[in-house]
Amino acid sequence: MKPKIEEILDILLREVKRGKSIEDCLKDYPEYVDELEPLLRLATSLQDLPKPEPRQEAVVATLRNVKDAVVEKTQKKIKFSLRKIFRLQPAVIRAVAAVVLVVVLGWTTVTLSAHSLPEDVLYPVKRLTERIQYILTITPEGKAELHIVFAHKRTDEFAQSFEEGEEMNRPLLNAMLNEAQSALKYSESLPEERVKQLVEKIMTCNHHQREILEKIKPLACSSDSPIIDEAINLCAQRHRCIEYTLNPELYREQPSSTCWDQCCDWK
């Protein structure tokens, strides 16, 4: 009997896990290469995702809050017991209830992490969710849209986490500018009719980033001021190049390729 593709995929996943390359695995099933290759690469990408590593202090604080909430509910004598429900119901209902509970808890964790900041315990969950969303997005336009969304998120996180006189979060600054940079690069491969709409969104994001940087500049510590100035200048360069893309008739000559390279360059 000819094996089903699901069975073959299970076999190959085990082989990849043992260290065998995807190319060598596919040699045994040449007739399924087109179907199996993207599935294997997606599976290996998901396996390589970093595991969230919450800070120990945040975990302890969260557990303490949970304990306090449980004590408070117990004192109010709430007549509700998951243990009782699971004990009284048939096995099938208990199994379904367990699945629903896991799904609800997982959904709740992802939802709560949506507004978390880098110092929060759920922030790694937020970034992991974003990375999975990005991996599962196939089209260049979809990836460019996600980079814009992520750029807005990193910008808001940067603004919210900034404290007057304290050293700013430089990795977060890098992330917010690099997300906008990636969106610009993806826009170059899109059809002409879609480029304008995307570039308009990038310009809005770039303007938002420049406003945030100019707002915090007077409040930043002296060691961060040169970096903020550099970031503001980069946003200004991006604005000029993006504006030319949207309104080329306003310019006597097209910005050089060096200009575009400079407007995208951020370490």
Side-chain angles (χ1 to χ4, degrees), residues 234 236-238 240-242 244 254-265:
L234 175 67
Q237 290 178 12
R238 287 179 177 176
R240 287 192 293 272
C241 291
I242 293 172
Y244 173 81
Q254 178 179 356
S256 64
S257 58
T258 304
C259 170
W260 277 105
D261 293 339
Q262 289 175 346
C263 87
C264 286
D265 186 24

mmCIF file of all heavy atoms in Angstrom, residues 234 236-238 240-242 244 254-265:
data_model
loop_
_atom_site.group_PDB
_atom_site.id
_atom_site.type_symbol
_atom_site.label_atom_id
_atom_site.label_comp_id
_atom_site.label_asym_id
_atom_site.label_seq_id
_atom_site.Cartn_x
_atom_site.Cartn_y
_atom_site.Cartn_z
ATOM 1 N N LEU A 234 18.470 60.046 10.338
ATOM 2 C CA LEU A 234 18.094 58.917 9.478
ATOM 3 C C LEU A 234 16.627 59.022 9.083
ATOM 4 O O LEU A 234 16.270 58.809 7.911
ATOM 5 C CB LEU A 234 18.351 57.601 10.207
ATOM 6 C CG LEU A 234 17.901 56.341 9.468
ATOM 7 C CD1 LEU A 234 18.732 56.130 8.212
ATOM 8 C CD2 LEU A 234 18.007 55.120 10.369
ATOM 9 N N ALA A 236 14.899 61.712 8.825
ATOM 10 C CA ALA A 236 14.780 62.824 7.886
ATOM 11 C C ALA A 236 15.187 62.390 6.476
ATOM 12 O O ALA A 236 14.535 62.750 5.480
ATOM 13 C CB ALA A 236 15.649 63.999 8.354
ATOM 14 N N GLN A 237 16.268 61.600 6.365
ATOM 15 C CA GLN A 237 16.693 61.084 5.060
ATOM 16 C C GLN A 237 15.628 60.171 4.464
ATOM 17 O O GLN A 237 15.318 60.247 3.273
ATOM 18 C CB GLN A 237 18.011 60.320 5.215
ATOM 19 C CG GLN A 237 19.205 61.200 5.527
ATOM 20 C CD GLN A 237 20.466 60.377 5.722
ATOM 21 O OE1 GLN A 237 20.510 59.194 5.418
ATOM 22 N NE2 GLN A 237 21.505 61.012 6.252
ATOM 23 N N ARG A 238 15.077 59.322 5.297
ATOM 24 C CA ARG A 238 14.030 58.425 4.814
ATOM 25 C C ARG A 238 12.820 59.209 4.310
ATOM 26 O O ARG A 238 12.202 58.861 3.311
ATOM 27 C CB ARG A 238 13.613 57.461 5.929
ATOM 28 C CG ARG A 238 14.638 56.387 6.224
ATOM 29 C CD ARG A 238 14.190 55.470 7.354
ATOM 30 N NE ARG A 238 15.166 54.401 7.574
ATOM 31 C CZ ARG A 238 15.076 53.488 8.548
ATOM 32 N NH1 ARG A 238 14.063 53.525 9.401
ATOM 33 N NH2 ARG A 238 16.000 52.553 8.678
ATOM 34 N N ARG A 240 12.758 62.210 2.977
ATOM 35 C CA ARG A 240 13.029 62.812 1.664
ATOM 36 C C ARG A 240 12.937 61.775 0.544
ATOM 37 O O ARG A 240 12.343 62.038 -0.509
ATOM 38 C CB ARG A 240 14.411 63.471 1.666
ATOM 39 C CG ARG A 240 14.484 64.767 2.478
ATOM 40 C CD ARG A 240 15.758 65.517 2.207
ATOM 41 N NE ARG A 240 16.923 64.797 2.708
ATOM 42 C CZ ARG A 240 17.406 64.922 3.941
ATOM 43 N NH1 ARG A 240 16.823 65.742 4.794
ATOM 44 N NH2 ARG A 240 18.469 64.248 4.318
ATOM 45 N N CYS A 241 13.513 60.608 0.772
ATOM 46 C CA CYS A 241 13.494 59.578 -0.266
ATOM 47 C C CYS A 241 12.079 59.024 -0.482
ATOM 48 O O CYS A 241 11.663 58.784 -1.621
ATOM 49 C CB CYS A 241 14.447 58.446 0.115
ATOM 50 S SG CYS A 241 16.189 58.914 0.052
ATOM 51 N N ILE A 242 11.340 58.845 0.596
ATOM 52 C CA ILE A 242 9.965 58.345 0.477
ATOM 53 C C ILE A 242 9.088 59.387 -0.217
ATOM 54 O O ILE A 242 8.235 59.051 -1.045
ATOM 55 C CB ILE A 242 9.395 57.997 1.867
ATOM 56 C CG1 ILE A 242 10.145 56.798 2.460
ATOM 57 C CG2 ILE A 242 7.913 57.681 1.788
ATOM 58 C CD1 ILE A 242 9.790 56.498 3.902
ATOM 59 N N TYR A 244 9.983 61.534 -2.406
ATOM 60 C CA TYR A 244 10.250 61.508 -3.849
ATOM 61 C C TYR A 244 9.483 60.375 -4.519
ATOM 62 O O TYR A 244 8.943 60.536 -5.618
ATOM 63 C CB TYR A 244 11.746 61.340 -4.124
ATOM 64 C CG TYR A 244 12.022 61.132 -5.603
ATOM 65 C CD1 TYR A 244 12.063 62.218 -6.477
ATOM 66 C CD2 TYR A 244 12.178 59.847 -6.129
ATOM 67 C CE1 TYR A 244 12.251 62.029 -7.837
ATOM 68 C CE2 TYR A 244 12.374 59.657 -7.484
ATOM 69 C CZ TYR A 244 12.412 60.749 -8.336
ATOM 70 O OH TYR A 244 12.583 60.559 -9.676
ATOM 71 N N GLN A 254 16.163 62.749 -9.449
ATOM 72 C CA GLN A 254 15.890 61.584 -8.607
ATOM 73 C C GLN A 254 17.014 61.399 -7.585
ATOM 74 O O GLN A 254 18.193 61.571 -7.921
ATOM 75 C CB GLN A 254 15.788 60.335 -9.476
ATOM 76 C CG GLN A 254 15.542 59.069 -8.693
ATOM 77 C CD GLN A 254 15.428 57.868 -9.603
ATOM 78 O OE1 GLN A 254 15.466 58.006 -10.819
ATOM 79 N NE2 GLN A 254 15.301 56.692 -9.033
ATOM 80 N N PRO A 255 16.662 61.064 -6.328
ATOM 81 C CA PRO A 255 17.719 60.772 -5.344
ATOM 82 C C PRO A 255 18.597 59.624 -5.833
ATOM 83 O O PRO A 255 18.114 58.678 -6.446
ATOM 84 C CB PRO A 255 16.929 60.369 -4.091
ATOM 85 C CG PRO A 255 15.592 61.001 -4.265
ATOM 86 C CD PRO A 255 15.322 60.983 -5.736
ATOM 87 N N SER A 256 19.867 59.721 -5.576
ATOM 88 C CA SER A 256 20.802 58.689 -6.030
ATOM 89 C C SER A 256 20.597 57.404 -5.251
ATOM 90 O O SER A 256 19.950 57.384 -4.200
ATOM 91 C CB SER A 256 22.248 59.173 -5.844
ATOM 92 O OG SER A 256 22.512 59.359 -4.463
ATOM 93 N N SER A 257 21.163 56.322 -5.789
ATOM 94 C CA SER A 257 21.081 55.042 -5.085
ATOM 95 C C SER A 257 21.794 55.124 -3.741
ATOM 96 O O SER A 257 21.421 54.464 -2.785
ATOM 97 C CB SER A 257 21.709 53.933 -5.941
ATOM 98 O OG SER A 257 23.064 54.246 -6.239
ATOM 99 N N THR A 258 22.829 55.995 -3.670
ATOM 100 C CA THR A 258 23.532 56.186 -2.396
ATOM 101 C C THR A 258 22.601 56.762 -1.348
ATOM 102 O O THR A 258 22.643 56.389 -0.181
ATOM 103 C CB THR A 258 24.735 57.133 -2.585
ATOM 104 O OG1 THR A 258 25.586 56.611 -3.607
ATOM 105 C CG2 THR A 258 25.513 57.289 -1.291
ATOM 106 N N CYS A 259 21.735 57.663 -1.785
ATOM 107 C CA CYS A 259 20.756 58.257 -0.863
ATOM 108 C C CYS A 259 19.848 57.181 -0.288
ATOM 109 O O CYS A 259 19.587 57.152 0.911
ATOM 110 C CB CYS A 259 19.920 59.308 -1.588
ATOM 111 S SG CYS A 259 18.496 59.918 -0.647
ATOM 112 N N TRP A 260 19.378 56.283 -1.157
ATOM 113 C CA TRP A 260 18.503 55.206 -0.683
ATOM 114 C C TRP A 260 19.247 54.268 0.259
ATOM 115 O O TRP A 260 18.704 53.806 1.256
ATOM 116 C CB TRP A 260 17.947 54.418 -1.872
ATOM 117 C CG TRP A 260 16.745 55.071 -2.477
ATOM 118 C CD1 TRP A 260 16.670 55.762 -3.640
ATOM 119 C CD2 TRP A 260 15.427 55.114 -1.917
ATOM 120 N NE1 TRP A 260 15.400 56.235 -3.845
ATOM 121 C CE2 TRP A 260 14.618 55.848 -2.807
ATOM 122 C CE3 TRP A 260 14.865 54.613 -0.740
ATOM 123 C CZ2 TRP A 260 13.265 56.076 -2.565
ATOM 124 C CZ3 TRP A 260 13.518 54.841 -0.501
ATOM 125 C CH2 TRP A 260 12.738 55.570 -1.405
ATOM 126 N N ASP A 261 20.512 53.985 -0.067
ATOM 127 C CA ASP A 261 21.305 53.123 0.815
ATOM 128 C C ASP A 261 21.480 53.767 2.183
ATOM 129 O O ASP A 261 21.394 53.107 3.217
ATOM 130 C CB ASP A 261 22.677 52.839 0.197
ATOM 131 C CG ASP A 261 22.571 51.983 -1.057
ATOM 132 O OD1 ASP A 261 21.537 51.298 -1.204
ATOM 133 O OD2 ASP A 261 23.504 52.002 -1.874
ATOM 134 N N GLN A 262 21.733 55.077 2.185
ATOM 135 C CA GLN A 262 21.919 55.783 3.449
ATOM 136 C C GLN A 262 20.637 55.828 4.260
ATOM 137 O O GLN A 262 20.648 55.709 5.486
ATOM 138 C CB GLN A 262 22.429 57.208 3.181
ATOM 139 C CG GLN A 262 23.870 57.253 2.681
ATOM 140 C CD GLN A 262 24.283 58.662 2.329
ATOM 141 O OE1 GLN A 262 23.460 59.568 2.200
ATOM 142 N NE2 GLN A 262 25.586 58.867 2.152
ATOM 143 N N CYS A 263 19.501 56.001 3.591
ATOM 144 C CA CYS A 263 18.249 56.115 4.323
ATOM 145 C C CYS A 263 17.832 54.770 4.906
ATOM 146 O O CYS A 263 17.022 54.710 5.833
ATOM 147 C CB CYS A 263 17.135 56.678 3.447
ATOM 148 S SG CYS A 263 16.219 55.462 2.487
ATOM 149 N N CYS A 264 18.370 53.704 4.363
ATOM 150 C CA CYS A 264 18.047 52.370 4.898
ATOM 151 C C CYS A 264 19.088 51.873 5.885
ATOM 152 O O CYS A 264 18.886 50.860 6.542
ATOM 153 C CB CYS A 264 17.936 51.351 3.755
ATOM 154 S SG CYS A 264 16.422 51.538 2.797
ATOM 155 N N ASP A 265 20.205 52.563 5.949
ATOM 156 C CA ASP A 265 21.319 52.037 6.744
ATOM 157 C C ASP A 265 21.174 52.386 8.213
ATOM 158 O O ASP A 265 21.199 53.548 8.600
ATOM 159 C CB ASP A 265 22.634 52.626 6.178
ATOM 160 C CG ASP A 265 23.858 52.020 6.855
ATOM 161 O OD1 ASP A 265 23.725 50.894 7.381
ATOM 162 O OD2 ASP A 265 24.905 52.661 6.874
#
